[in-house]
Amino acid sequence: MRAGRRFLRWFADQKVGKKIMYTFLVTSVIPLLVSQVLMLYVISNHIREKVDELMANQLAQISERAALTVDVYTNLVYQIYADDEIVAYIASCQNASEETRARAYRKISRKIQQYGLSASGIECISIILENGEDITYDFGMASVVDNLWEGYEDKKSIVPYRLAQEASGNMAVAPTQRVLREGGEERIFHISKQMYDFTDIQRGAVGTVIMSINESVLNDVCGVAQENEECYTINFITDKDGNILTYPNAFYSGIKLSGGRTVKEFVEKTRMLEGKKIALYQYENKDLGWLFYNAYDEDYILRDVRRIQNLTIVIGVLLLCASVFLIRYTVRLIERSTRSIVAGIVDVQQGNLDVQVCVESKDEMGQIADNFNTMTEKVKCLIKEVKAVTVKQKEAEIRALEAQINPHFLYNTLDSINWMAIEKEEYQISRMVRNLGVILRYSVDKSNKMATVAEMADWLEKYVSLQQMRFNDAFACEIHIQPETEKVRVYKLLLQPFVENAIIHGFKEIEYGGMLRVDVMFSEHRDELDIIIEDNGKGITREMADKWNAPDMDLAEDGQSIGLHNAFSRMRMYYGSRVSWNVSSILEIGTVVTLKIPVSEEGEPAE
């Protein structure tokens, strides 16, 4: 568990490119290689099994053909063995004159010739009598005198004869032997059997028939390649004692494996498959007592499998290289994009907001880069706005300090003027001075704090009354406050610039008939405070109204409106993007200013 956790921690600390590469190797490359190796292993084993099965069937067929071929010759031997005339001629030779034996030998020889012509490959047929004499016809030499056994003084010493005696009446097959005939060396195997006179079975064997057959008969059965041809597979036969009965290179037929040498070592020694990877398969014919072998070049037989394996390996390597190239290319793109983004973040941390991250791709990295560039631009704009607001605030503070007068001095002076007006019975002047004092106290005392709508309405009434006296009652004013809104808190002096703008500009040069109306009410959903300031004054142009209705436009004092720039800026600063307004006006008809101030839910006073 600890090792697993350490590995996961180590993996988590690696860079993204390495994580992708490691993941690709573990999840794709290694499984691909393992599956490919397993597939090749399974295919190779399957093909080898099929080849072994094919070779076994081939050797079984060769064994059957060899058995049939041997049956042809053994049947001939049986026919000779059961030929009554031959047996009678042999019996007549017993204790007969020389002339009678010679005549019997000639008749037996003619019968032997007839049997020998019925099958190809027969080199010699001999009948060895019990007295050691032989009756032989050699088909290779076409002679009864010159024959295969002429070099043997005692015909009973030859191998086929001795094997027939040991077989106790059964058929005996002697292994291939090397014999010299007419100055040349031949390979011949023999089939022999004792003969009996069935009319006098107690007498015992009267002779032994020996049929000598050329080894090429077995060679033809094996169907091996010619000696001078390049071969990739050979078939040959041995007996259980290791005697080579037939071999594609006839030079090795008739020899015996000795010295503990294995069959595979013998095949390598013969150089029939020199330089090749030899595989050996064996099949035993228990009836004949022979072993049939197939030696083949494994690389040649499995060449198609090797080609498939090589092709699969080449394709696998190409796919692997292509996959590694693509994943490495992808990793490099990600690393390059990541480095660019990280470098941009570092520059921003150091205060450089002019940096622009350049990522050409349109993938997630490109989106991150685009969003990063957009963010830096917005941050720059916000910093500029904050700086501008800070400068304006400082300028306002400076102006406030420059115009600051001790409020108590003003209040005391106005109070003295008020009493002087009362002593002079100038009650209108006294009311104006008293209202002015209330207005000043309301304005100067914590001017950036909040007041209820009711307090704001009371202040507006006093402020408008002073303006009405100033303009000789050239206009009238109506203030309508929805009762539910009286406790809602708004910032002090929020409406003063709009009311003053309507009076100063709207009723300019108007001597009578002016009308100013202020309505304060809740919106339909009670989430906004709707304030409408309406006048029937001179109005403004549509272009000017559109200018005030553009919240993102840089509003500036132009001498045609009093404090509206400051009023809109204060609203935006107090309430952010939640506040909205609309200015609509028609020249010589009037102007309507609608303010929508956000309030808390269910009309509770806004904090």
Side-chain angles (χ1 to χ4, degrees):
M1 291 297 293
R2 292 182 178 177
R5 291 177 180 175
R6 285 197 298 269
F7 172 76
L8 292 177
R9 191 179 302 111
W10 171 84
F11 184 77
D13 293 338
Q14 299 301 306
K15 293 185 177 180
V16 175
K18 290 185 177 180
K19 289 180 182 178
I20 296 175
M21 182 62 72
Y22 294 152
T23 302
F24 172 72
L25 290 174
V26 172
T27 59
S28 299
V29 176
I30 295 178
L32 177 63
L33 293 177
V34 171
S35 62
Q36 189 176 35
V37 171
L38 290 176
M39 181 182 67
L40 292 177
Y41 176 77
V42 171
I43 292 176
S44 299
N45 285 345
H46 180 71
I47 296 298
R48 285 190 177 92
E49 291 176 357
K50 292 297 182 183
V51 170
D52 290 343
E53 183 179 351
L54 177 64
M55 295 305 176
N57 293 334
Q58 181 181 353
L59 289 180
Q61 292 175 3
I62 292 174
S63 173
E64 291 177 1
R65 292 200 302 269
L68 292 174
T69 301
V70 172
D71 284 344
V72 171
Y73 298 108
T74 56
N75 287 333
L76 286 176
V77 172
Y78 271 116
Q79 291 177 28
I80 297 173
Y81 162 83
D83 194 315
D84 294 335
E85 290 185 10
I86 294 179
V87 173
Y89 290 143
I90 293 174
S92 65
C93 292
Q94 298 293 328
N95 301 318
S97 62
E98 189 71 25
E99 183 180 354
T100 302
R101 285 202 305 273
R103 188 167 50 251
Y105 286 176
R106 286 195 298 273
K107 291 181 179 181
I108 293 173
S109 178
R110 283 195 292 269
K111 293 286 290 186
I112 290 175
Q113 292 182 51
Q114 293 174 4
Y115 283 115
L117 295 175
S118 61
S120 62
I122 299 176
E123 295 290 335
C124 180
I125 297 177
S126 301
I127 296 177
I128 309 298
L129 302 179
E130 291 301 310
N131 59 5
E133 296 181 358
D134 70 290
I135 305 170
T136 302
Y137 185 82
D138 192 311
F139 295 92
M141 297 181 180
S143 172
V144 296
V145 177
D146 298 326
N147 58 67
L148 192 64
W149 311 114
E150 63 180 338
Y152 293 88
E153 294 182 1
D154 185 5
K155 304 300 189 292
K156 291 184 178 182
S157 64
I158 62 177
V159 174
Y161 182 85
R162 288 189 286 106
L163 290 178
Q165 307 307 309
E166 295 173 0
S168 301
N170 294 324
M171 194 78 65
V173 179
T176 301
Q177 292 180 314
R178 298 183 179 189
V179 295
L180 292 174
R181 296 182 65 191
E182 296 181 341
E185 191 176 55
E186 293 185 7
R187 275 73 176 170
I188 298 174
F189 71 96
H190 314 277
I191 300 175
S192 58
K193 182 173 176 55
Q194 289 181 317
M195 299 179 65
Y196 294 91
D197 184 358
F198 292 101
T199 62
D200 188 8
I201 197 66
Q202 299 297 327
R203 179 182 174 186
V206 298
T208 299
V209 58
I210 299 174
M211 181 177 290
S212 302
I213 307 157
N214 198 296
E215 171 263 349
S216 62
V217 172
L218 297 179
N219 203 337
D220 293 339
V221 170
C222 290
V224 294
Q226 297 298 322
E227 181 179 346
N228 295 329
E229 294 179 357
E230 183 176 4
C231 60
Y232 299 95
T233 178
I234 59 175
N235 301 315
F236 59 96
I237 306 173
T238 71
D239 61 12
K240 292 183 178 180
D241 296 328
N243 296 297
I244 307 298
L245 302 183
T246 183
Y247 198 78
N249 186 348
F251 176 81
Y252 296 98
S253 298
I255 68 174
K256 183 176 182 179
L257 298 176
S258 60
R261 180 180 297 170
T262 64
V263 176
K264 185 175 182 180
E265 291 173 345
F266 165 73
V267 174
E268 293 174 349
K269 186 70 176 178
T270 63
R271 298 184 178 180
M272 289 288 293
L273 299 175
E274 185 178 10
K276 297 177 174 60
K277 184 179 179 181
I278 299 175
L280 194 67
Y281 199 87
Q282 173 186 307
Y283 181 84
E284 180 181 1
N285 188 317
K286 295 182 179 180
D287 294 333
L288 294 175
W290 290 354
L291 298 177
F292 294 82
Y293 290 95
N294 173 263
Y296 61 90
D297 180 7
E298 187 175 6
D299 290 336
Y300 178 78
I301 298 299
L302 300 177
R303 63 189 183 280
D304 292 336
V305 178
R306 305 295 186 196
R307 291 172 184 172
I308 294 174
Q309 289 177 339
N310 294 335
L311 180 62
T312 304
I313 292 173
V314 171
I315 293 176
V317 170
L318 292 177
L319 291 177
L320 177 61
C321 293
S323 300
V324 171
F325 172 77
L326 290 177
I327 196 67
R328 186 57 186 162
Y329 177 74
T330 303
V331 169
R332 286 184 178 178
L333 288 179
I334 295 175
E335 288 178 344
R336 185 167 57 190
S337 301
T338 304
R339 284 196 298 267
S340 179
I341 294 173
V342 171
I345 293 174
V346 172
D347 287 343
V348 171
Q349 288 177 342
Q350 295 175 353
N352 181 16
L353 294 177
D354 294 327
V355 64
Q356 289 287 311
V357 176
C358 181
V359 176
E360 298 178 356
S361 61
K362 301 300 182 182
D363 56 4
E364 289 80 357
M365 289 297 178
Q367 295 176 1
I368 292 174
D370 293 339
N371 293 333
F372 176 82
N373 295 333
T374 303
M375 180 191 69
T376 54
E377 289 294 332
K378 288 185 178 180
V379 170
K380 284 173 30 179
C381 293
L382 290 174
I383 291 175
K384 290 180 181 179
E385 292 179 2
V386 170
K387 288 182 178 179
V389 170
T390 302
V391 170
K392 292 178 181 179
Q393 185 176 1
K394 289 182 178 180
E395 291 176 353
E397 291 175 354
I398 293 173
R399 287 197 298 267
L401 289 173
E402 291 175 349
Q404 185 177 12
I405 301 177
N406 193 325
H408 295 288
F409 171 75
L410 291 175
Y411 299 153
N412 293 334
T413 301
L414 290 175
D415 188 57
S416 298
I417 295 173
N418 180 40
W419 285 108
M420 289 176 64
I422 292 174
E423 290 177 356
K424 299 292 184 178
E425 296 182 355
E426 296 289 341
Y427 298 109
Q428 186 177 6
I429 295 174
S430 173
R431 184 163 58 85
M432 291 180 64
V433 171
R434 187 171 59 254
N435 289 344
L436 179 59
V438 173
I439 291 172
L440 288 175
R441 187 176 291 109
Y442 179 85
S443 303
V444 175
D445 184 21
K446 299 179 180 179
S447 60
N448 287 330
K449 298 300 180 180
M450 302 184 76
T452 64
V453 171
E455 292 173 344
M456 179 189 68
D458 181 66
W459 180 87
L460 279 177
E461 289 179 354
K462 292 179 173 55
Y463 175 77
V464 171
S465 67
L466 289 177
Q467 292 289 9
Q468 285 176 328
M469 292 180 184
R470 176 185 175 189
F471 287 95
N472 296 321
D473 294 323
F475 66 92
C477 179
E478 294 181 0
I479 299 176
H480 300 277
I481 306 298
Q482 188 178 23
E484 292 85 350
T485 65
E486 290 182 350
K487 292 184 179 181
V488 177
R489 298 172 65 81
V490 296
Y491 285 94
K492 294 169 67 174
L493 302 179
L494 185 66
L495 300 184
Q496 186 269 342
F498 300 101
V499 174
E500 182 177 4
N501 188 73
I503 295 173
I504 299 301
H505 290 281
F507 301 139
K508 185 178 182 180
E509 299 177 357
I510 293 178
E511 296 182 356
Y512 63 90
M515 184 64 191
L516 176 63
R517 181 185 176 97
V518 178
D519 293 287
V520 181
M521 67 194 76
F522 274 127
S523 65
E524 181 180 358
H525 300 289
R526 299 180 66 87
D527 59 345
E528 290 179 338
L529 193 65
D530 294 342
I531 303 175
I532 302 174
I533 302 99
E534 181 179 0
D535 68 79
N536 62 349
K538 297 178 62 177
I540 59 176
T541 63
R542 183 172 181 178
E543 289 76 9
M544 182 62 67
D546 292 339
K547 178 181 178 181
W548 296 123
N549 287 329
D552 295 331
M553 185 176 290
D554 187 13
L555 304 177
E557 295 287 357
D558 57 2
Q560 298 181 4
S561 59
I562 299 175
L564 286 189
H565 171 76
N566 184 44
F568 288 132
S569 297
R570 284 181 63 204
M571 289 173 58
R572 182 68 71 185
M573 184 171 58
Y574 289 153
Y575 300 104
S577 60
R578 297 180 299 164
V579 72
S580 62
W581 62 83
N582 181 66
V583 179
S584 60
S585 181
I586 301 176
L587 288 174
E588 306 302 332
I589 298 297
T591 302
V592 178
V593 178
T594 302
L595 308 178
K596 292 184 176 294
I597 308 299
V599 296
S600 60
E601 296 180 358
E602 299 180 356
E604 293 295 329
E607 295 294 337

